[in-house]
Amino acid sequence: LADGLGGRAAVLVSDGVASPVCFGLRRPTVLLPKPLAAHASPEQLRWVLAHELDHLRRGDPWTGLRGGVAR
């Protein structure tokens, strides 16, 4: 699933987030909520990871950084 990201993307789990999120300019990372990671089916997790990794492929963290600097 991490094609286009140099084959590297970290996936972490936290009880401090309510929904999946991606971040990382140098080390692409996907952060999953603990309940989602614990109870989602493998197919659901695959879709969630594919969605978040697509955000990373598009460069959304860089877009967020540029927007923050512009503000």
Side-chain angles (χ1 to χ4, degrees):
L1 289 174
D3 286 349
L5 294 172
R8 61 183 185 93
V11 177
L12 304 174
V13 176
S14 171
D15 55 8
V17 295
S19 63
V21 63
C22 66
F23 56 90
L25 302 176
R26 290 183 178 231
R27 177 147 169 89
T29 303
V30 175
L31 186 60
L32 300 175
K34 190 180 258 184
L36 175 69
H39 301 295
S41 71
E43 183 176 338
Q44 290 169 323
L45 284 175
R46 183 175 174 81
W47 279 104
V48 168
L49 289 172
H51 176 86
E52 294 303 321
L53 290 171
D54 195 44
H55 282 293
L56 291 171
R57 258 185 232 96
R58 284 192 326 223
D60 288 359
W62 286 103
T63 302
L65 176 65
R66 286 190 294 273
V69 168
R71 275 180 271 196

